[in-house]
Each structure stands twice: as structure tokens, then as C-alpha cells.
Amino acid sequence: MSAASPSPRILIATPYVWTTPHPVNEHVADLADGLMALREAGEPAPMPIVIAPSADALARRSTRLAMRQLVRGVDPATVFTMGELAAAAAGARRPQEPAHDWPLLSMPLRTGPVAVSLRAAIRVVMERGDFQLMHVHDPLESDLVRFLVRTWSGLSVATVHDEPVEEAAAKATAPHRDRLVDGIDRWLVPSTEARRRVGDIAGSPDVDSHVVPTGVAGHGASGGSTGPVIVVGRGGDDDALVRGLVRDLQPLLAERPELSVTFLSRWSAHHRPAVPRALRGRVRFIDARTREEADSVLAGAGAYIALPETRRRSREEATAARVPIVEVPLPGAADGLDVTELQERITSALERRCDAPTSVEAGDLARAHVIEY
């Protein structure tokens, strides 16, 4: 990892295990990459230090050694540029070579309150790390992130992603939740609905929050796909919808033998329903654990079907690849599609080039989420 200039630094915290595929961790990696890109371009961006739980024992050991050096008074600029701290790719299984040029502080896997020894080590990092800002993601999700917010006395920003905010809030007791809300200076949310929910939890509709679309940094997007593949973005409990979609797409596939369907799972595996004999070989089910795997699927796509349970980031990846998106509502919804209208929308998507913007640059993502607030 290359040497970095002195302060300012930013501490970025995620509650999700770094070694397990998760969309928020991929977002954090994009954000940190963007800050490093801005620094390399000579812009006044802070150096990112990411902290997350990790199942990688070697990475946790390197983090403990780094914390001991901070306790002994070693310059943070020296500690945070140690090659042993360089982050592996989010979701990568060990052993892995470093994939990023910024440090990852790997914490133990804990489901309960943060241990006394770990609290002391984290306090040392926060006191001696010379951080200008702390940016936490989904702060209601874990004791680790809540402890960081309660301990930190400087400027704090929290990004809430698209998980149910109320369910996350229920994991913390009311006093802990109140102290967490009081410790956050600004909330970044993906929608006006998320802003309302955060305001309800904070007990005030006037909570300092801004709607900031999450975006996906460029990973070599295809730039206008017109392929013969229909990609379906899976997510959550969608088995019934997927079975119905396989049935509803049969007439279109029978009419156009050049078409095929790929059901794309991101970050977790899903049930694979039975496929009619006539469609075997033309319907695939793929589990893409990395962005590169997802990009390879989207590169041949002419249309992307978004189900109600499809994750926000998966839709953004399709938009970044300039694949036209077809929304499929819940069955029985007022604007529900019948089979004929669904087929017409898919056909229209296949026949046009998507006018959606290409993926954002990593530096633009960093500016939106950290700097220009």
C-alpha cells in the first residue's frame, strides 16, 4: 500500500462481515476507492480507514498489531500504510491478496455487546487516528457501529441503505437508540421514504438528513447492451414470483428462439425452481458473489427484470451496464402487469438502447456521500 499524505482522515464503519458478500460492503469499497482516486488526483479528500467485522483470522491479527503500535505512540501515518492492513475485496474468501490501496481494520465477529478489551482498543484508534470525520453505514444494525458512534465526539455522518429501518431500530434498546441518534450529525438516505422513517426513529421529522442516491462506481460497464439475454434480478423471498415468471415468459421464448433468461442472485443463493422441458438450456440460475461476476452476466443482457424484492444495488448495477429495466410489481397490486403487457415491455426493452446514464465515477460517489454535504 502506497504511503499517504498526513491528515485529514475519515473512519468508515460497516456492521456487515467483510468476508461475506454484502451490497453495503461493496458500496463502502466503492466509496473508499473514490476517496483514494480524489487524493491521487490532487484533490483535498480525506484518507479512508475502513473498520468492519471479519472472519479472516490473519487480517484480525494484523489489526491487533496495528492497534498495539498506536498504543506505543507510533505515528498513525505509518500504521495505516502498513501493507498488512490493505483491504481484500469485499466478500472475498480467504486467503486473498489485497484488492484496495486503503486499510481495513478487521474486528472480531460478535453478536453481543462489544468486549471491554475491544472497546479499549477502538478508543485508542479513535483518539490517536487523527480522524476528521466518521461515516457509519446502517448504524442501527450492530453493537460495534453503535459503540463507535457513542464513543466518537467529532463530526458523524450516517448512511442508511434500503433495509427496513424499523426492524434495525428494534435491535437496540431505547436508551442506546436515543444516544445513537444524538451522536449522528447528519443522515444520508436513499429516498424520501427512508428520510421519513429515520425521522420517526429520531423522534423528530426535522432530523438533519439528505436524500443521496447511492450509485454504483464504474467497473467496466458494458456501455449499452443489446444482447439476447433477459436477466431477472432476484432478492428476498421471491420463489413464487420466479415460478410465475418462468411460466409467463414461455410464450415469448417460444416465439423468439434466440432469447434466453438468466435469474441472477447477488450476495446470497436462492431456490431454483423446476424448468419446463421445453425451456431447458434456455433458463439459467446464477449466483454472482462479486461485481465482476455480475458484470459478465449483464454484458450480454438486453433487458433486466426488477422484482419487488430485487436489491437496490443490483438494479443500480444493471443501470450502470446500461441495460433497460422492466419493473414487475407484486401480484394483485393496483398497477399489476398481465402476461401480455409484461411481454410487450420486455420486447420494447430488447429493441431499444437504454438511455440511462452510465455508472458514476468512484470520485463522484465519494463527493456525494462524504465531501459535498
Side-chain angles (χ1 to χ4, degrees), residues 35-351:
L35 289 171
M36 294 302 292
L38 292 176
R39 289 168 59 82
E40 291 174 2
E43 297 193 37
M47 177 183 178
I49 314 295
V50 177
I51 183 169
S54 174
D56 188 340
L58 182 59
R60 294 201 304 267
R61 180 176 180 272
S62 298
T63 296
R64 289 196 299 270
L65 293 175
M67 288 179 169
R68 290 172 189 167
Q69 288 192 322
L70 289 174
V71 171
R72 293 168 184 162
V74 178
D75 186 352
T78 300
V79 175
F80 291 139
T81 54
M82 292 170 49
E84 294 83 358
L85 292 182
R93 297 178 179 178
R94 63 181 180 89
Q96 289 286 332
E97 293 295 323
H100 302 283
D101 196 30
W102 38 264
L104 172 69
L105 301 181
S106 300
M107 298 289 104
L109 302 178
R110 289 188 175 275
T111 57
V114 181
V116 174
S117 59
L118 183 57
R119 290 203 300 267
I122 290 175
R123 284 194 180 99
V124 170
V125 171
M126 300 178 76
E127 291 171 0
R128 304 188 182 182
D130 296 329
F131 297 113
Q132 182 187 51
L133 170 72
M134 183 170 68
H135 186 178
V136 298
H137 293 258
D138 287 347
L140 295 163
E141 280 291 330
S142 79
D143 289 292
L144 171 63
V145 178
R146 289 196 290 269
F147 174 74
L148 290 172
V149 173
R150 293 197 305 269
T151 304
W152 176 245
S153 60
L155 183 63
S156 297
V157 175
T159 291
V160 174
H161 295 267
D162 58 352
E163 79 294 333
V165 179
E166 293 85 351
E167 293 180 12
K171 298 178 182 179
T173 62
H176 286 174
R177 188 168 59 246
D178 292 342
R179 279 185 286 173
L180 172 70
V181 170
D182 291 342
I184 293 175
D185 297 290
R186 183 158 299 182
W187 297 78
L188 303 179
V189 295
S191 66
T192 53
E193 174 60 19
R195 173 191 280 178
R196 182 194 64 76
R197 289 180 293 175
V198 168
D200 290 343
I201 293 170
S204 171
D206 299 324
V207 61
D208 191 359
S209 60
H210 292 260
V211 177
V212 179
T214 52
V216 171
H219 280 208
S222 60
S225 179
T226 57
V229 180
I230 302 169
V231 175
V232 181
R234 300 198 64 178
D237 186 12
D238 61 3
D239 292 349
L241 269 176
V242 168
R243 287 195 298 270
L245 202 55
V246 171
R247 179 190 63 244
D248 293 344
L249 289 176
Q250 283 191 64
L252 180 63
L253 295 178
E255 181 182 340
R256 300 184 58 170
E258 79 279 6
L259 294 180
S260 64
V261 179
T262 296
F263 288 88
L264 179 63
S265 298
R266 292 287 281 121
W267 307 288
S268 61
H270 290 88
H271 172 69
R272 302 184 178 193
V275 176
R277 185 183 300 274
L279 298 183
R280 290 177 185 173
R282 299 176 64 192
V283 176
R284 297 190 303 162
F285 297 88
I286 294 180
D287 298 331
R289 297 300 184 94
T290 67
R291 175 73 187 279
E292 289 71 21
E293 292 174 351
D295 281 345
S296 67
V297 174
L298 294 169
Y304 180 92
I305 297 179
L307 304 176
E309 295 289 333
T310 300
R311 285 187 181 269
R312 177 187 298 272
R313 185 175 175 87
S314 185
R315 297 169 187 244
E316 291 169 349
E317 289 174 345
T319 300
R322 303 196 68 177
V323 180
I325 295 180
V326 177
E327 298 283 349
V328 174
L330 285 168
D335 57 346
L337 299 177
D338 59 25
V339 176
T340 301
E341 185 177 357
L342 173 62
Q343 294 176 2
E344 289 177 352
R345 288 195 183 186
I346 293 173
T347 300
S348 175
L350 290 167
E351 293 175 350

